[in-house]
Amino acid sequence: MKKKYKVIHLVIKVALLIIGFIIIGLIWWFLPILAVYQFSFGITISEMATLENQYRVTLTQAFGGIAILYGVYLSWKRINIAEDNLKATQKSLEIAKQEQITERFTRAVDQLGRTELEIRLGGIYALEKIASESEEYYSPVLEILTAYIRKNSGVNLQIKGKSLTYEPESIDFQANENANSEKINERKLPLDIQAILTVIGRRQKYFSNGESNRLNLQDVYLMGANFKGFHLEGACFRGSYLHGAIFIDAHLEGANFAASHLEWAKFRRAHLEDATFTVASLKHAYFRQAHLERSECFGAKLESADFTDANLYGARNLDIDMLSKVKTLHGARLNETLRSLLKEKYPNLFDHRPDTEMMLERLKV
């Protein structure tokens, strides 16, 4: 039935086209004759024929112009149709891509709940890939991964039956191998947690530079974790156990370490401007060349912390009693009033440390 209607439609089109050409031909032939007939008195037949031909040339040009305009219109219409088809195709592809990403996202999240480590690792790296491909899923992926750390490496879960005392590795390698191997293995992060930290460290965006949300690593247990060079601006580590964690060259501007345990943590050359250390434990922490401008230090425990060449200018709620317990302030930048009082009461804090002690410290860091 449809084929029959198509044939009829084609026949009608052809018939209309033929009729149209006949009408144009009649106009082209007879209109000049009628036009010239009005001026036929006083002119010869030859002149009449010349005028008719001139009229026909003019009509031919007019018909040609109309044909060109019609051709332009048809081309414009075809281009619009092509553009509409292209947009529809692109939209269909985008919908298909989004459906595929949604399916991959759901499958990857499901993998995180599996008991097999290999499958969980596959889910973690699948989520990383999705975050790099989809702006829509970027924030949810980070929220899921940080939630996974909080759930599977939370303080309450990890500290049961464990000692929270951190001791740095001995420089006696034989002693490490024989006496401390069990303690070192106990401190080692689970592979899935380390994988998530690796993903966080590899991301190209960070808070206030493409990310709208701060990383939430509150109340986590990440003893000895390696955050070297990470962008963790504005991250929340409130109440976390980060003994011996490595934050060398990390960007931690505005990070929140309130009530955290950061004993023996290494912050060499770290950017900690506007960071919060309220009632945090920073015993034996290493802040050599760190930037601590405008950081909040109310109630922080600074016993034996190393602030060699650190910038503490503008740090808030630092007092003489707190700083008197640090290991060294050699080369540190402080508010002038505080520096003068400390030099007067505790001049040894600004002394240059012996080379042997510096070498031992480098081995630790």
Side-chain angles (χ1 to χ4, degrees):
M1 185 64 70
K2 288 183 179 180
K3 189 175 181 181
K4 183 179 179 181
Y5 280 125
K6 283 184 179 180
V7 172
I8 294 172
H9 187 65
L10 180 62
V11 170
I12 292 172
K13 274 188 174 182
V14 172
L16 290 174
L17 190 63
I18 293 171
I19 293 170
F21 276 118
I22 293 173
I23 293 171
I24 291 171
L26 293 173
I27 293 171
W28 182 82
W29 181 259
F30 288 104
L31 185 62
I33 295 174
L34 293 174
V36 172
Y37 182 76
Q38 301 177 47
F39 309 101
S40 59
F41 302 103
I43 59 174
T44 63
I45 296 175
S46 175
E47 289 174 337
M48 288 178 62
T50 302
L51 287 175
E52 288 176 6
N53 289 334
Q54 288 177 350
Y55 269 108
R56 290 189 180 101
V57 169
T58 302
L59 284 174
T60 302
Q61 291 174 344
F63 288 141
I66 292 170
I68 291 172
L69 289 175
Y70 184 68
V72 170
Y73 167 75
L74 290 179
S75 298
W76 172 78
K77 192 173 181 179
R78 280 196 297 269
I79 290 171
N80 280 344
I81 292 171
E83 287 180 349
D84 291 340
N85 291 336
L86 180 61
K87 288 178 181 178
T89 303
Q90 289 175 338
K91 188 175 180 180
S92 298
L93 290 173
E94 187 63 28
I95 292 172
K97 182 181 177 181
Q98 287 299 320
E99 289 176 350
Q100 184 188 50
I101 290 176
T102 301
E103 183 181 350
R104 288 165 54 199
F105 177 79
T106 304
R107 187 165 59 247
V109 172
D110 182 63
Q111 287 179 259
L112 293 181
R114 301 288 292 275
T115 56
E116 300 91 337
L117 175 62
E118 295 81 2
I119 295 177
R120 295 202 305 275
L121 291 175
I124 290 166
Y125 292 120
L127 286 173
E128 179 186 24
K129 181 69 173 174
I130 291 168
S132 68
E133 294 176 357
S134 173
E135 189 71 28
E136 180 183 355
Y137 282 96
Y138 182 86
S139 293
V141 165
L142 285 181
E143 290 169 6
I144 287 170
L145 292 179
T146 51
Y148 184 92
I149 294 178
R150 293 196 303 273
K151 178 183 177 183
N152 295 281
S153 193
V155 170
N156 294 332
L157 179 66
Q158 294 292 328
I159 64 175
K160 291 179 180 179
K162 292 185 179 181
S163 171
L164 297 181
T165 303
Y166 177 89
E167 295 178 11
E169 297 177 18
S170 169
I171 60 171
D172 183 346
F173 300 109
Q174 188 64 38
N176 273 340
E177 184 176 352
N178 297 333
N180 296 333
S181 59
E182 184 177 344
K183 187 176 292 185
I184 292 170
N185 289 333
E186 184 179 342
R187 286 206 308 266
K188 192 173 181 180
L189 290 174
L191 290 178
D192 51 352
I193 301 299
Q194 185 58 61
I196 292 176
L197 295 182
T198 301
V199 169
I200 291 173
R202 281 201 297 243
R203 75 197 201 285
Q204 299 299 311
K205 302 176 185 178
Y206 47 90
F207 183 65
S208 296
N209 186 32
E211 287 181 6
S212 56
N213 300 322
R214 303 170 187 265
L215 292 180
N216 184 358
L217 292 169
Q218 180 174 333
D219 295 321
V220 297
Y221 185 91
L222 297 172
M223 182 180 284
N226 190 345
F227 298 96
K228 185 176 181 179
F230 281 24
H231 277 276
L232 298 166
E233 291 88 341
C236 180
F237 290 96
R238 185 181 181 89
S240 296
Y241 282 77
L242 299 159
H243 309 67
I246 300 170
F247 291 98
I248 298 172
D249 295 317
H251 285 268
L252 294 152
E253 294 92 332
N256 186 351
F257 290 99
S260 292
H261 288 263
L262 292 155
E263 294 88 346
W264 299 99
K266 301 169 182 66
F267 289 98
R268 185 170 186 174
R269 295 186 302 272
H271 286 270
L272 293 153
E273 295 92 336
D274 300 297
T276 300
F277 292 101
T278 303
V279 300
S281 179
L282 299 166
K283 297 176 182 179
H284 301 281
Y286 189 78
F287 288 97
R288 184 178 177 83
Q289 298 176 327
H291 297 269
L292 290 142
E293 297 96 310
R294 302 176 304 281
S295 57
E296 174 57 63
C297 301
F298 177 80
K301 300 174 180 65
L302 304 177
E303 288 88 332
S304 298
D306 187 335
F307 288 98
T308 302
D309 297 323
N311 192 342
L312 289 158
Y313 193 82
R316 301 188 295 275
N317 292 306
L318 274 178
D319 57 40
I320 294 177
D321 183 59
M322 292 167 64
L323 291 172
S324 67
K325 300 172 184 176
V326 305
K327 187 172 189 177
T328 180
L329 288 168
H330 177 73
R333 188 183 177 196
L334 294 160
N335 295 340
E336 282 303 318
T337 303
L338 192 57
R339 183 182 184 86
S340 298
L341 292 171
L342 283 166
K343 273 201 167 184
E344 182 181 343
K345 295 188 68 174
Y346 306 100
N348 59 307
L349 291 176
F350 298 90
D351 292 342
H352 184 67
R353 294 159 59 196
D355 292 340
T356 54
E357 189 178 354
M358 291 289 290
M359 289 183 67
L360 291 174
E361 193 61 54
R362 288 195 189 100
L363 287 173
K364 296 174 188 176
V365 179

